[in-house]
Amino acid sequence: MPDASRKVLFVEDEADLRRAYARFFKGRFDMEFAGTGAEALTRFRSFRPNVVVLDMQLPDTDGIDLLRQLRTTAPKIPVIITTAYVSMEPLVDVMGMGHSGYLVKPFDLNELAHRIDAAE
């Protein structure tokens, strides 16, 4: 069920994927986008999202470090991790930083929508 009041921050360095998110989720969520870790932290503070969709590979930082910083600010915020590398899931789990889902690219946007809708 769409929830346009749900605020989602998409942290993704690939401009084409950010545009795909914007098109696919238009009217479904209130969205903000960040292409770098620094931009993500700024947007996170000002936008105050309910859910973060976080790519693990960013040009200025890795997703692990960014996730650590987000957890310091908002320990319980749902974070859905996206990555092209299957091998990163155990690393994130072992580091005890928790996440609300893990998707390996390429993934179906309907699956991402389901994960966002289910995140609490």
Side-chain angles (χ1 to χ4, degrees):
M1 175 179 304
D3 182 0
S5 67
R6 180 156 254 204
K7 296 167 73 170
V8 182
L9 174 61
F10 292 92
V11 184
E12 172 57 60
D13 64 321
E14 294 178 42
D16 288 343
L17 193 47
R18 287 194 308 268
R19 283 190 289 274
Y21 289 156
R23 279 191 310 271
F24 189 83
F25 297 117
K26 184 179 181 180
R28 184 176 187 138
F29 304 120
D30 183 4
M31 299 175 281
E32 283 283 329
F33 300 90
T36 66
E39 188 180 4
L41 290 172
T42 299
R43 294 244 194 283
F44 185 82
R45 284 188 214 97
S46 62
F47 182 57
R48 300 163 124 6
N50 304 109
V51 179
V52 176
V53 175
L54 174 61
D55 181 25
M56 285 282 108
Q57 301 296 315
L58 299 168
D60 61 339
T61 186
D62 64 55
I64 300 286
D65 186 53
L66 182 56
L67 180 58
R68 186 176 292 118
Q69 292 178 63
L70 293 176
R71 286 281 173 243
T72 304
T73 306
K76 297 195 184 296
I77 188 160
V79 176
I80 299 166
I81 294 171
T82 66
T83 185
Y85 304 100
V86 177
S87 62
M88 289 195 72
E89 182 174 13
L91 177 62
V92 175
D93 288 338
V94 166
M95 295 181 79
M97 287 188 283
H99 55 83
S100 299
Y102 190 91
L103 294 170
V104 178
K105 296 176 183 175
F107 50 82
D108 184 293
L109 289 178
N110 286 306
E111 176 63 20
L112 178 55
H114 174 72
R115 301 274 178 111
I116 293 170
D117 288 338
E120 293 183 9

